[in-house]
Amino acid sequence: LAQLLPEVESFQAETQRLRDTIAHERRNASFQREINADLRNELKAERSHSFDQSMKLSELERRYKRAERLLSKIPQEELDRFLPKQKGLER
């Protein structure tokens, strides 16, 4: 029995080292899951913001084109009567 004691102690030490390693890796995995969840949430928020910006831009373009169509229906003589001449600006 005395001869086996060093081997048993060595086995116990190795087993404890492996338990510690497993616990450490589990903590790392948990931490990585939290980071991944945060990044997914951030990406979702950015995509939502980007979608909102695209919608606003589309609306502004639609309004611009409508105003441009309406403006093109007004004869140039009428525009000249009511709008001051501005250099470099065209219809």
Side-chain angles (χ1 to χ4, degrees), residues 37-47:
D38 289 345
L39 289 173
R40 273 193 300 275
N41 290 337
E42 188 176 330
L43 177 60
K44 184 179 177 183
E46 286 298 320
R47 283 181 175 160

Side-chain angles (χ1 to χ4, degrees), residues 1 4 12 23 25 41-42 46 62 64 68 71 75-76 85:
L1 191 60
L4 291 176
Q12 285 177 333
E25 291 304 319
N41 290 337
E42 188 176 330
E46 286 298 320
R62 185 190 67 76
Y64 168 76
E68 199 172 51
L71 186 60
Q76 185 64 43
K85 291 279 185 196

Side-chain angles (χ1 to χ4, degrees), residues 3 5 7 14 16-18 24 26 28 43 45 56 59 63 65 67-68 73 82:
Q3 292 174 340
L5 188 58
E7 287 183 39
E14 180 65 15
Q16 185 60 46
R17 187 185 69 75
L18 289 173
H24 177 74
R26 283 183 176 159
N28 279 346
L43 177 60
K56 288 177 184 176
E59 176 61 18
R63 289 171 58 193
K65 287 178 182 176
E68 199 172 51
K73 292 179 181 181
F82 294 106

Side-chain angles (χ1 to χ4, degrees), residues 69-83:
R69 279 193 310 272
L70 291 173
L71 186 60
S72 71
K73 292 179 181 181
I74 301 172
Q76 185 64 43
E77 307 79 48
E78 293 296 318
L79 288 176
D80 291 342
R81 270 186 36 209
F82 294 106
L83 297 177

Side-chain angles (χ1 to χ4, degrees), residues 29-63:
S30 176
F31 182 65
Q32 284 300 319
R33 281 191 295 273
E34 289 176 19
I35 289 173
N36 288 347
D38 289 345
L39 289 173
R40 273 193 300 275
N41 290 337
E42 188 176 330
L43 177 60
K44 184 179 177 183
E46 286 298 320
R47 283 181 175 160
S48 177
H49 178 72
S50 178
F51 177 76
D52 291 344
Q53 292 296 79
S54 293
M55 294 303 293
K56 288 177 184 176
L57 182 59
S58 294
E59 176 61 18
L60 288 173
E61 287 174 341
R62 185 190 67 76
R63 289 171 58 193

Side-chain angles (χ1 to χ4, degrees), residues 6-20:
E7 287 183 39
V8 169
E9 288 174 343
S10 174
F11 179 73
Q12 285 177 333
E14 180 65 15
T15 303
Q16 185 60 46
R17 187 185 69 75
L18 289 173
R19 280 189 199 122
D20 293 344

